[in-house]
Amino acid sequence: MSQQQDLLRDAMRRLNLTRDAFSERLGVRRRALDTWLLPSDSSESRAMPEMVGKFVAEILQREALDTGAGLAGTGQQRPLAQRIAAEGKPQLLSVAQFDRGSLEDLFHVADVMQPIARRQKVTRILEGAVLGSLFFEASTRTRVSFGAAFCRLGGTVCDTTGFTFSSMAKGESIYDTSRVMSGYVDALVVRHPEQGSVAEFARATNIPVINAGDGPGEHPSQAILDLYTIQREFSRMGKLVDGTHVAMVGDLKYGRTVHSLIRLLSLYRGLKFTLVAPPSLEMPAYLVELVARNGHVIEQTSSLAQGLRGADVVYATRVQKERFANGETLEGYTPEFQVCKALVDAVCKPDTILMHPLPRDGRPGANDLSVDLNHDPRLAIFRQTDNGIPVRMAIFAVLMGVEQQVARSMRDAGWRSPAHIGPDDADFDGLD
Ligand code: NCD
């Protein structure tokens, strides 16, 4: 049954059709399509008729012939790891490695991982493999979710955090550290405070290296899980990423998550971006130019209400004070500069989704995403963090070349977990 959902999701993504348009193309009722897309453990889920499945496969095949692209998994195309390779190696350093096709193929692998991420299935596909997790900067979710993703594929994790307890405190170079670690582990996830540093780790080894944040540079896995979240939320609502309005708010100068996300979103068509930042923390000019060159509308403002008005996605970020240069101060960013319920109710839509890479500053007076939205179903931040697991599992599976074997390797989980992970989760959490 999960194969059924994967097929339908993949088809809608590749054909770029909303649920309404797709059900029309198939000649079925939208309600029927919705029930086929529900997870198999939902009481309303239904198996789609065999004929429909055949028809979907046929449409996809015809589409692939028309566009000259092979279908993932049919052996007609080079492996995804080769198509996204960084300097010929299976490494993930920047979102610039992706085009729309390879990104959507990765999303398909993430869909396949969902039953494992939701603890219904288990796999041992990476049994015996060891991940080296090197975090030279603070992290909770990125470090733990990469580790958990590797473990859920059957591997194990060795990690080191901070400079103090690593040999870098003794003056060891990135080259030496990377080469030494490569003798111990099968893949490396690295976070480091300097832009370009993770690429330096990557040059010193042939094993997969994943950039988990290089200073104010990039955070590709975060942007991929952000876009995956947007697609899943939009799929539930019957919306497409093409033509959408995304408001990015906060520290757009040092926030690496928005740097990666805006590049990834600009692979889509006809987007409108409103960038809302205090005068000193605007999006770097080269990114604004790149997005505009790709034909998107991009507006910059320091007015929160103006920037958020009518947005389909609000992506808020924390001020990265730790990256401020000596003497750099924050001006024009008062506590009123906060994405709170009153503001969202006043200027956003009933189906706007509210996102944040987290952590958010939840202290009173902080100018961040307010905790008073915690019960609002538009708040997608925990669906976003939950999606970190299937997406990071997909990244590992692709870079280590096992993505085609995962579906066949799954067994039922031997324990039961709650249907809703959080007490405040929306009804549709885990079910979309
Ligand atoms: C972000 C990061 O480290 O870039 N967090 C994350 O990885 N989810 C954002 C931040 O620190 O503000």
Side-chain angles (χ1 to χ4, degrees):
M1 278 284 265
S2 105
Q3 267 172 336
Q4 158 180 317
Q5 297 151 29
D6 294 346
L7 175 76
L8 292 170
R9 273 185 194 287
D10 199 39
M12 283 191 289
R13 248 188 328 242
R14 283 176 203 281
L15 303 167
N16 204 27
L17 295 177
T18 60
R19 287 192 191 192
D20 279 334
F22 189 50
S23 49
E24 209 168 293
R25 173 110 183 235
L26 294 178
V28 300
R29 295 235 298 264
R30 159 75 197 255
R31 177 79 198 116
L33 177 62
D34 285 343
T35 59
W36 302 336
L37 278 160
L38 285 168
S40 38
D41 59 351
S42 152
S43 60
E44 284 172 49
S45 132
R46 297 286 175 273
M48 75 178 160
E50 207 178 308
M51 282 297 290
V52 178
K54 282 195 181 137
F55 187 36
V56 174
E58 208 181 287
I59 296 176
L60 281 174
Q61 244 154 28
R62 212 176 310 138
E63 172 80 10
L65 287 176
D66 287 352
T67 59
L71 280 175
T74 58
Q76 295 165 351
Q77 220 176 21
R78 284 187 303 143
L80 186 48
Q82 280 178 25
R83 285 187 281 139
I84 62 166
E87 293 178 12
K89 298 183 203 174
Q91 300 179 328
L92 176 56
L93 306 176
S94 162
V95 291
Q97 293 168 235
F98 286 90
D99 58 25
R100 193 162 160 171
S102 53
L103 187 61
E104 291 178 357
D105 284 349
L106 184 70
F107 288 165
H108 175 66
V109 181
D111 284 347
V112 172
M113 300 297 182
Q114 284 286 1
I116 308 175
R118 290 182 181 170
R119 303 115 199 240
Q120 295 147 352
K121 298 278 179 192
V122 291
T123 178
R124 307 295 303 159
I125 198 79
L126 286 189
E127 186 165 18
V130 181
L131 173 70
S133 169
L134 307 182
F135 276 72
F136 299 103
E137 260 193 356
S139 173
T140 305
R141 73 220 80 238
T142 307
R143 186 167 58 84
V144 176
S145 66
F146 265 120
F150 205 80
C151 291
R152 289 196 189 277
L153 286 166
T156 48
V157 184
C158 294
D159 64 355
T160 154
T161 46
F163 286 100
T164 325
F165 298 106
S166 94
S167 285
M168 285 208 165
K170 301 176 184 171
E172 188 171 55
S173 67
I174 286 182
Y175 182 93
D176 284 6
T177 307
S178 178
R179 174 59 189 84
V180 168
M181 287 297 295
S182 311
Y184 304 156
V185 300
D186 302 287
L188 279 175
V189 172
V190 186
R191 172 172 283 190
H192 191 282
E194 273 160 48
Q195 189 159 351
S197 55
V198 183
E200 214 178 315
F201 271 93
R203 279 193 292 273
T205 179
N206 289 329
I207 66 169
V209 173
I210 298 170
N211 179 3
D214 60 330
E218 277 216 46
H219 195 346
S221 66
Q222 179 70 43
I224 295 167
L225 78 88
D226 290 339
L227 188 48
Y228 181 73
T229 303
I230 294 173
Q231 278 223 340
R232 286 185 80 90
E233 297 280 312
F234 277 16
S235 160
R236 191 184 67 244
M237 298 165 177
K239 289 163 93 169
L240 291 176
V241 179
D242 289 319
T244 200
H245 174 186
V246 180
M248 293 183 165
V249 183
D251 185 347
L252 307 184
K253 178 180 178 187
Y254 293 116
R256 53 195 171 199
T257 63
V258 280
H259 298 169
S260 291
L261 182 59
I262 201 163
R263 287 188 81 147
L264 219 44
L265 279 166
S266 72
L267 293 175
Y268 287 74
R269 279 191 294 268
L271 269 73
K272 176 181 170 185
F273 293 98
T274 41
L275 305 182
V276 194
S280 55
L281 295 178
E282 285 139 347
M283 181 71 80
Y286 80 94
L287 283 171
V288 174
E289 281 155 25
L290 187 142
V291 172
R293 254 203 321 275
N294 285 354
H296 303 286
V297 173
I298 188 157
E299 289 169 8
Q300 303 198 60
T301 170
S302 49
S303 156
L304 197 53
Q306 198 183 318
L308 262 54
R309 194 172 298 282
D312 296 293
V313 179
V314 174
Y315 192 97
T317 61
R318 179 182 68 87
V319 176
Q320 314 271 302
K321 284 219 175 85
E322 68 275 25
R323 304 203 192 285
F324 281 21
N326 269 348
E328 191 171 359
T329 53
L330 184 60
E331 278 159 33
Y333 208 52
T334 58
E336 289 85 71
F337 206 101
Q338 190 193 43
V339 180
C340 61
K341 181 134 176 75
L343 177 73
V344 168
D345 285 344
V347 300
C348 293
K349 304 188 281 189
D351 66 353
T352 300
I353 55 169
L354 307 171
M355 301 178 66
H356 194 298
L358 300 182
R360 58 179 161 163
D361 190 342
R363 291 169 291 196
N367 33 31
D368 208 326
L369 180 64
S370 171
V371 291
D372 73 357
L373 283 155
N374 279 6
H375 298 282
D376 193 315
R378 290 174 290 187
L379 189 76
I381 56 175
F382 300 117
R383 297 193 285 279
Q384 200 181 341
T385 50
D386 288 349
N387 281 333
I389 295 291
V391 166
R392 291 186 166 125
M393 289 176 78
I395 293 170
F396 284 130
V398 166
L399 296 183
M400 301 189 71
V402 296
E403 76 272 25
Q404 303 295 342
Q405 300 158 46
V406 174
R408 268 176 283 129
S409 74
M410 286 189 206
R411 286 181 291 112
D412 286 344
W415 75 100
R416 286 188 70 80
S417 359
H420 293 282
I421 305 294
D424 294 323
D425 285 1
D427 290 342
F428 52 79
D429 270 34
L431 292 177
D432 57 330

